[in-house]
């Protein structure tokens, strides 16, 4: 009995010695798995769009939009048009101001002021979910060279975003040729950390003899107040309904634009001829019919195209 006890004690001591040796000399790693710290350092995770600072976007270092819609959607189709425009205009070595100027001039040269066309054609060319208001209103100038002030502003916003700038769409009022304030839209852009106004449609309206004077290019608040109202000054100037006041306060207040940028010298700008609206609308209808013949009826969809604040009713004297 005593001998058995001694044998068990010897075995226990030997086992303990073996375990101690194993702890001192662990098994070599095979390299098939990484520790959590190794894994995190070996993987490169791109920053999300929301993590990009406004200062980086204002330098216009990229021609890729920061807002990437799903690849198969109306938004992707429209932003693709804006991206193509930006890539066509941006040249190596251009400054931020030169890029903005190129987008401004190109939109004015290629767009005729009239009611937009083909606002639903993204259903045929892109499909998927409906694009946002800004995207849908940019469609007509970008695709067909025709649009109203809302469309000019939306198109310029999208092209500048594709160049890497931060932009804002601005609904408000401007003075008509008859001296009355009427509903209007333009945009703002941030350049070198400073916000500026851009009004491409009104600039288009004041061109005479193909001479572009940059009257509404990179302007400050004080300059724009001569014939525009928006944001807080719109609330104190215009007779708005309580619903319109609430909408402006919630969505359409803007940052300050403290100073004008020196205007470029006037230049000759050859503008494209007026598009043949009847021909465009006929071609678009044929495109819809071909699509439906192959894919079935186009689903009904409520387009996001009603102008903010003033809607289809507008502001100011009604047209006869």
């Amino acid at each position: 009995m005593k001998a058995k006890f001694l044998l068990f004690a010897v075995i226990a001591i030997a086992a303990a010695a073996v375990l101690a040796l194993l702890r001192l000399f662990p098994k070599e790693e095979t390299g098939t798995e990484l520790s959590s710290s190794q894994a995190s350092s070996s993987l490169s995770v791109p920053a999300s769009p929301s993590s990009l600072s406004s200062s980086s976007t204002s330098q216009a270092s990229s021609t890729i939009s920061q807002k990437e819609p799903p690849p198969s959607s109306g938004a992707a189709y429209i932003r693709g048009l804006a991206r193509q425009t930006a890539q066509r205009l941006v040249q190596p070595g251009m400054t931020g101001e030169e890029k903005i100027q190129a987008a401004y001039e190109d939109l004015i040269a290629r767009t005729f002021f009239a009611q937009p066309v083909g606002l639903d054609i993204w259903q045929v060319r892109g499909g998927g979910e409906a694009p946002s208001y800004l995207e849908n209103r940019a469609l007509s100038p970008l695709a067909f060279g025709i649009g109203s002030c809302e469309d000019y502003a939306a198109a310029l916003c999208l092209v500048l975003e594709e160049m890497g700038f931060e932009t804002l769409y601005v609904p408000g009022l401007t003075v008509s040729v008859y001296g009355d304030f009427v509903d209007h839209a333009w945009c703002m852009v941030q350049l070198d950390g400073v916000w500026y106004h851009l009004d491409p449609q009104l600039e288009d309206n004041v061109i005479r003899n193909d001479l572009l004077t940059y009257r509404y290019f990179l302007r400050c608040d004080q300059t724009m107040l001569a014939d525009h109202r928006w944001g807080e000054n719109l609330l104190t100037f215009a007779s708005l309904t309580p619903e319109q006041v609430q909408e402006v306060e919630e969505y359409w207040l803007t940052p300050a634009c403290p100073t004008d940028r020196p205007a470029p010298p006037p230049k000759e700008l050859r503008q494209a001829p007026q598009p043949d609206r009847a021909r465009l609308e006929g071609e678009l209808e044929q495109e819809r019919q071909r699509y439906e013949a192959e894919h079935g009826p186009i689903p009904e969809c409520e387009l996001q195209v009603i102008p903010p604040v003033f809607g289809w009713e507008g502001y100011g004297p009604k047209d006869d």
Side-chain angles (χ1 to χ4, degrees):
M1 190 71 177
K2 186 176 181 180
K4 276 186 182 181
F5 177 78
L6 290 173
L7 179 61
F8 289 145
V10 170
I11 292 172
I13 292 170
V18 170
L19 288 173
L21 288 172
L22 288 174
R23 290 191 182 98
L24 288 174
F25 302 100
K27 185 179 179 181
E28 187 175 315
E29 296 289 341
T30 62
T32 58
E33 294 182 356
L34 296 176
S35 68
S36 59
S37 61
Q38 288 172 317
S40 63
S41 64
S42 66
L43 298 178
S44 176
V45 181
S48 66
S50 61
S51 69
L52 299 175
S53 66
S54 60
S55 61
S56 66
T57 63
S58 67
Q59 299 305 313
S61 59
S62 172
T63 57
I64 303 300
S65 170
Q66 296 175 6
K67 303 174 182 177
E68 293 292 341
S72 179
S73 70
Y77 164 66
I78 297 166
R79 287 195 175 268
L81 295 175
R83 180 177 290 113
Q84 291 169 16
T85 300
Q87 292 173 340
R88 172 171 54 82
L89 296 174
V90 172
Q91 301 297 323
M94 291 178 77
T95 65
E97 182 172 346
E98 289 170 339
K99 293 175 183 179
I100 297 171
Q101 183 177 342
Y104 190 75
E105 293 174 359
D106 185 75
L107 178 67
I108 294 170
R110 292 173 174 269
T111 308
F112 182 81
F113 179 67
Q115 289 302 310
V117 297
L119 292 178
D120 64 341
I121 203 63
W122 59 265
Q123 293 179 283
V124 173
R125 300 182 181 182
E129 295 184 2
S132 68
Y133 169 82
L134 193 70
E135 292 158 343
N136 212 151
R137 292 309 298 251
L139 172 56
S140 185
L142 293 175
F144 310 116
I146 188 169
S148 63
C149 59
E150 293 89 358
D151 309 296
Y152 277 70
L156 186 56
C157 281
L158 259 59
V159 172
L160 292 177
E161 285 181 7
E162 292 295 338
M163 291 180 172
F165 293 97
E166 188 173 353
T167 67
L168 292 172
Y169 176 94
V170 185
L173 304 176
T174 193
V175 180
S176 74
V177 294
Y178 304 107
D180 303 300
F181 272 96
V182 294
D183 51 292
H184 187 52
W186 61 100
C187 63
M188 294 170 61
V189 64
Q190 190 181 61
L191 174 63
D192 299 330
V194 180
W195 284 99
Y196 299 93
H197 295 270
L198 296 165
D199 192 338
Q201 189 276 310
L202 211 55
E203 185 81 59
D204 194 358
N205 195 48
V206 300
I207 288 178
R208 298 294 182 269
N209 300 318
D210 293 327
L211 188 65
L212 179 66
T213 59
Y214 302 96
R215 185 183 299 184
Y216 299 105
F217 180 72
L218 299 179
R219 302 292 89 186
C220 71
D221 289 340
Q222 192 61 41
T223 299
M224 294 294 282
L225 276 171
D227 49 18
H228 290 70
R229 296 292 184 273
W230 71 96
E232 289 186 3
N233 60 69
L234 177 65
L235 296 176
T236 58
F237 172 82
S239 300
L240 304 182
T241 67
E243 292 76 17
Q244 289 172 328
V245 169
Q246 181 179 357
E247 182 179 348
V248 171
E249 290 178 337
E250 288 187 6
Y251 302 109
W252 304 112
L253 299 180
T254 60
C257 301
T259 182
D260 282 341
R261 197 91 168 184
K267 68 180 291 186
E268 184 179 8
L269 185 71
R270 293 290 183 180
Q271 296 183 279
Q274 179 179 347
D276 186 335
R277 187 184 189 91
R279 180 184 60 80
L280 271 175
E281 291 178 339
E283 291 174 351
L284 289 169
E285 183 56 31
Q286 291 176 7
E287 186 175 349
R288 295 184 192 96
Q289 292 174 2
R290 289 194 299 270
Y291 179 90
E292 291 187 325
E294 183 176 352
H295 301 283
I298 298 172
E300 291 187 8
C301 177
E302 183 177 354
L303 302 179
Q304 306 296 318
V305 295
I306 301 175
V309 184
F310 302 110
W312 293 130
E313 291 296 317
Y315 182 93
K318 305 302 179 186
D319 296 333
D320 293 335

